[in-house]
Amino acid sequence: MRHLMSPMDLSVEELDQLLDLANDIENNPKKYAHACDGKRLATLFYEPSTRTRLSFEAAMMNLGGTVLGFSSANSSSASKGESVSDTMRVTSCYADIAAMRHPKEGAPLVASMSSLIPVINAGDGGHQHPTQTLTDLLTIRSLKGRLDNITVGLCGDLKFGRTVHSLIEALVRYENVKFVLISPEELRVPSYIREEVLTNNNIEFMEVERLEDALPDLDILYMTRVQKERFFNEEDYVRMKDFYILDKQKMELAKEDMFILHPLPRVNEISVEVDKDPRAAYFQQAQYGVYVRMALILTLLEVEV
Ligand code: NCD
């Protein structure tokens, strides 16, 4: 039985196979419509979510399966003091596979240890968000035709943004991927990412503060929101929240074939006028999230179509 806690749980070959499967699902949805008949997905969400939970549920329903779960800690027995281990052990009796989101780093890993079914980390605190990374990889590969030989700019809250951490870990395994890390001093990537993931793998990267300086060189611009819920005080958040605003004028500095990604939700960091730019790919990205989660469910349940 396999779980997915981090993108590193999949080899590059497995990742490529999973993305191929997602493309096949996109092109032949009918072929997969009954692949999970009689199977159940549990969504155990202790933290707010729109896309991740709904796309997981849509994915299971598209495969003919059903879903059950909770969407906040308040509506689960966590509010009575139940541990994630116990909740997970019990969920194993009701479902075939589970996706868990939790504000504490490592909670889905702890849950997986008592689980009798595959557990997917759907976001753990400021740590990892592997299924967003699968979505991001599928989007980049579909739009650019490759995952190697690209320059990726990551902009915004690189400190608390778990999607950023997972995406960097996944992309360093492809040839000649360069990173431009665009953030205010206070929101730079954690040192373990800078040292253990980038420096130790001899990856070319730059850290800059001004988005305008980075834009002309990028093939992908990955925007992120400032992670309000991970700040210790409101004042720091308010100071940081509008640090970056991507607008039409700034987009004039970008390449014609650069794409803008964003895991969403967007707050202020991308002006709505940019949505009409053909390079804005963030809503398409949300659609890819369904195909890739379908592929992941099939892979972890070992369903062959
Ligand atoms: C992200 C998350 O939850 O980390 N959202 C998502 O799953 N698409 C990004 C965010 O909340 O900023």
Side-chain angles (χ1 to χ4, degrees):
M1 187 179 59
R2 290 187 74 175
H3 307 292
L4 182 73
M5 292 300 130
S6 123
M8 299 304 278
D9 294 343
L10 295 163
S11 67
V12 173
E13 293 70 37
E14 286 173 323
L15 264 178
D16 289 341
Q17 276 170 17
L18 201 129
L19 300 183
D20 290 343
L21 179 57
N23 282 138
D24 194 55
I25 290 168
E26 177 186 4
N27 297 325
N28 309 287
K30 284 214 180 94
K31 191 169 133 191
Y32 297 89
H34 294 286
C36 284
D37 278 357
K39 302 267 188 218
R40 262 188 216 156
L41 164 77
T43 50
L44 313 176
F45 277 57
Y46 296 82
E47 227 190 25
S49 168
T50 298
R51 266 148 302 275
T52 304
R53 189 170 61 84
L54 298 188
S55 64
F56 259 116
E57 298 191 354
M60 192 47 147
M61 290 177 191
N62 290 346
L63 294 167
T66 52
V67 296
L68 74 177
F70 52 83
S71 56
S72 75
N74 290 343
S75 62
S76 80
S77 282
S79 62
K80 302 180 187 170
E82 186 170 55
S83 68
V84 289
S85 300
D86 284 2
T87 302
M88 193 61 241
R89 175 66 184 80
V90 169
T91 302
S92 304
C93 307
Y94 310 143
D96 302 284
I97 185 164
M100 178 182 282
R101 168 170 290 190
H102 202 285
K104 285 214 177 99
E105 287 80 6
L109 177 66
V110 171
S112 72
M113 291 168 181
S114 69
S115 180
L116 309 177
I117 60 175
V119 180
I120 301 164
N121 176 5
D124 63 327
H127 185 215
Q128 295 271 354
H129 192 345
T131 62
Q132 181 64 47
T133 296
L134 298 179
T135 304
D136 302 339
L137 296 178
L138 181 63
T139 307
I140 297 171
R141 204 182 75 162
S142 302
L143 297 175
K144 301 295 295 180
R146 61 180 194 276
L147 288 169
D148 50 10
N149 298 301
I150 46 172
T151 300
V152 180
L154 298 128
C155 177
D157 187 347
L158 310 187
K159 178 178 180 186
F160 296 116
R162 56 194 174 195
T163 66
V164 168
H165 307 155
S166 291
L167 183 57
I168 293 176
E169 282 204 15
L171 278 174
V172 296
R173 297 190 289 172
Y174 293 88
E175 286 297 310
N176 194 29
V177 177
K178 295 182 190 137
F179 294 94
V180 186
L181 307 173
I182 310 150
S183 76
E185 176 66 28
E186 284 155 276
L187 298 178
R188 287 168 68 195
V189 287
S191 56
Y192 83 90
I193 296 280
R194 192 178 311 106
E195 274 125 48
E196 287 161 38
V197 183
L198 294 167
T199 308
N200 284 0
N201 288 302
N202 296 315
I203 306 297
E204 207 179 311
F205 74 97
M206 256 187 345
E207 294 189 272
V208 302
E209 194 168 273
R210 273 169 46 89
L211 176 56
E212 292 87 334
D213 296 342
L215 260 172
D217 298 323
L218 305 179
D219 299 309
I220 296 289
L221 171 61
Y222 194 91
M223 292 296 292
T224 62
R225 101 187 139 90
V226 176
Q227 305 281 299
K228 182 179 182 191
E229 64 275 38
R230 315 242 182 265
F231 275 74
F232 294 110
N233 66 67
E234 175 84 13
E235 217 174 277
D236 287 346
Y237 169 70
V238 170
R239 209 159 33 80
M240 289 290 129
K241 76 179 176 55
D242 293 328
F243 204 94
Y244 298 107
I245 299 179
L246 181 64
D247 56 16
K248 248 166 115 173
Q249 207 186 342
K250 290 200 188 81
M251 280 305 291
E252 284 171 16
L253 299 169
K255 290 184 191 168
E256 280 305 311
D257 61 352
M258 183 197 84
F259 287 100
I260 312 162
L261 272 64
H262 191 311
L264 302 178
R266 148 180 60 189
V267 186
N268 273 340
E269 58 282 354
I270 304 179
S271 157
V272 289
E273 66 190 19
V274 175
D275 297 359
K276 289 200 250 11
D277 191 305
R279 294 168 288 186
Y282 28 92
F283 293 120
Q284 212 177 335
Q285 187 182 356
Q287 174 67 58
Y288 282 123
V290 179
Y291 305 133
V292 93
R293 289 184 174 93
M294 289 170 75
L296 178 66
I297 291 169
L298 292 173
T299 305
L300 294 181
L301 288 178
E302 297 177 2
V303 176
E304 300 252 352
V305 177

